Amino acid sequence: MTKSTRKVALLSGASRGIGAAIAANLLAHGWAVSLGCRTPSEVEISDGDNQLVSHFDALDASTEQAWIDATLAKFGRIDALIHNAGIMLPVSVLEASDAEFDRTFNVNVKSPMRMSRLAWPHLQASGSGRIVMMSSLSGKRVKGEHSTLYAMSKYAALALAHSLRKIGDNSGIRCTAICPGFVATDMGTALTEVPAEKMTQPEDLAHLIRTVLELPNNASIAEIPVNWTVEDNY
């Protein structure tokens, strides 16, 4: 096992969109990154000394411990965990099958909970461990009928973030939920007719996330709602 001189962040869903932007931002500012992806070959960023790409599938719990183990073998530490992987099935809570419910909650809630448990001792050892939960404004209010199952999962993800923040307080672990509206990604552009250039950009969220990771322990940020336009209360 080697010991990285850089802080190390685990980042799920890192091959494209918001995840790729976060990885690029962290690497450019002195972090090492361990990227968990369903298809590692899709990762376009390359920084061999400070980057690890591992197979990770939120629907396959066995890949979680393997990813943790590979990260520790390469870097010897874990300082941050960024839960970015997620899915949105365009189905209402009345239409959703049990299988669709299980898939949504397994990816958006259960896997982040398990990954947090696995990484917890290493975040404690860091002394300034950080967790970022990519929630959504859909986790703070319910709007479209066909996004209600997704909203349920993101409400749960937001509660998970607050729970981890509470539990980690005395160990120097800070957890922040990032709650964006439409973001200029494949998923975001498929859900609305708003032009991509008007939406929040993945690079903007990446900047916010790195800021949260680098704040001192005496700055505990619970949530950051982010929207591309003015919306009542957000």
Side-chain angles (χ1 to χ4, degrees):
M1 179 186 294
T2 59
K3 182 72 172 180
S4 175
T5 58
R6 294 182 166 200
K7 286 193 171 183
V8 177
L10 271 75
L11 168 63
S12 67
S15 61
R16 54 196 172 95
I18 296 170
I22 297 168
N25 189 297
L26 291 178
L27 285 168
H29 290 86
W31 284 74
V33 295
S34 178
L35 310 181
C37 314
R38 282 186 300 171
T39 310
S41 61
E42 292 182 353
V43 174
E44 297 181 355
I45 302 170
S46 179
D47 186 339
D49 290 340
N50 297 302
Q51 175 181 297
L52 174 69
V53 181
S54 292
H55 174 62
F56 164 73
D57 186 342
L59 292 171
D60 182 357
S62 69
T63 64
E64 296 164 356
Q65 186 64 61
W67 179 23
I68 293 279
D69 292 344
T71 302
L72 294 172
K74 182 174 177 67
F75 297 119
R77 61 190 290 175
I78 296 171
D79 301 278
L81 174 58
I82 305 167
H83 297 298
N84 176 66
I87 60 170
M88 189 279 187
L89 303 181
V91 60
S92 81
V93 292
L94 293 181
E95 299 167 337
S97 66
D98 285 357
E100 289 170 325
F101 178 92
D102 289 344
R103 185 180 178 202
T104 299
F105 274 74
N106 282 340
V107 173
N108 293 353
V109 185
K110 288 182 71 175
S111 183
M113 182 173 65
R114 290 193 303 261
M115 282 296 301
S116 297
R117 281 200 303 256
L118 293 173
W120 200 261
H122 310 290
L123 297 174
Q124 287 179 312
S126 169
S128 56
R130 298 289 180 266
I131 300 175
V132 170
M133 187 77 64
M134 284 302 300
S135 183
S136 169
L137 286 181
S138 292
K140 297 182 68 63
R141 82 291 193 259
V142 178
K143 295 190 76 173
E145 174 183 338
H146 294 292
S147 64
T148 47
L149 178 63
Y150 176 74
M152 280 183 67
S153 73
K154 288 302 184 179
Y155 267 78
L158 188 60
L160 174 59
H162 284 293
S163 299
L164 295 171
R165 178 171 175 263
K166 182 72 172 178
I167 296 167
D169 186 32
N170 291 333
S171 300
I173 298 174
R174 302 290 176 259
C175 183
T176 301
I178 307 296
C179 304
F182 289 127
V183 182
T185 62
D186 291 344
M187 185 173 81
T189 55
L191 294 173
T192 179
E193 295 181 358
V194 175
E197 63 271 17
K198 289 189 175 182
M199 296 182 189
T200 302
Q201 300 300 304
E203 292 76 15
D204 300 330
L205 295 180
H207 178 78
L208 283 174
I209 288 166
R210 181 174 58 81
T211 299
V212 166
L213 296 181
E214 295 179 347
L215 288 172
N217 283 3
N218 58 6
S220 182
I221 310 298
E223 304 175 10
I224 302 180
V226 184
N227 208 353
W228 68 276
T229 188
V230 175
E231 179 179 340
D232 288 345
N233 300 324
Y234 304 110

